[in-house]
Amino acid sequence: MPISVDDDNFDKEVLNARGIVLADFYSDSCGPCRRVSPVLNELEEAYKSRIKLAKINVNCDAKLARKYVISAVPTIVFFKDGEESARIVGAADKSEYSSVIDNLI
């Protein structure tokens, strides 16, 4: 189940998390974001306890978007043990996300 993340809990849920966290920077008004969301949910289910999905609404938390230089949505930032390891800007297909996850595992 995706976790809603904002500036208040970002450190706890993403930076201090062990393993892989997919930080989905999105906007409710973004069509590609709405298309990517179910794909990310499927990946979270497929990888079970090996990944965590964190959702960050850039309209509600512009501070985090600025901190991570999010210039387009969706942007998926992959963190491993609290460190940014990869990112995909724009909508991608499931295999692209899976490939990054597989390389990080």
Side-chain angles (χ1 to χ4, degrees):
M1 189 72 169
I3 299 165
S4 182
V5 175
D6 59 24
D7 193 50
D8 293 334
N9 66 347
F10 187 83
D11 285 359
K12 176 185 176 230
E13 297 294 346
V14 178
L15 298 181
N16 296 330
R18 300 288 298 146
I20 299 166
V21 179
L22 280 62
D24 175 15
F25 288 87
Y26 75 99
S27 169
D28 289 328
S29 62
C30 165
C33 298
R34 289 192 299 274
R35 286 194 306 275
V36 165
S37 187
V39 171
L40 297 176
N41 291 340
E42 288 174 19
L43 288 169
E44 185 182 37
E45 180 63 28
Y47 284 91
K48 298 273 186 217
S49 62
R50 295 183 290 172
I51 68 168
K52 176 166 55 169
L53 178 57
K55 308 270 294 172
I56 301 106
N57 187 327
V58 297
N59 297 321
C60 298
D61 206 325
K63 182 178 177 183
L64 278 174
R66 280 190 305 275
K67 180 178 180 180
Y68 286 93
V69 193
I70 305 302
S71 58
V73 289
T75 294
I76 311 305
V77 181
F78 297 80
F79 289 86
K80 183 172 183 180
D81 297 329
E83 297 292 324
E84 182 177 341
S85 300
R87 74 170 51 199
I88 295 176
V89 178
D93 61 33
K94 190 175 181 178
S95 65
E96 290 179 68
Y97 299 119
S98 293
S99 177
V100 174
I101 293 167
D102 290 341
N103 285 331
L104 294 174
I105 291 178

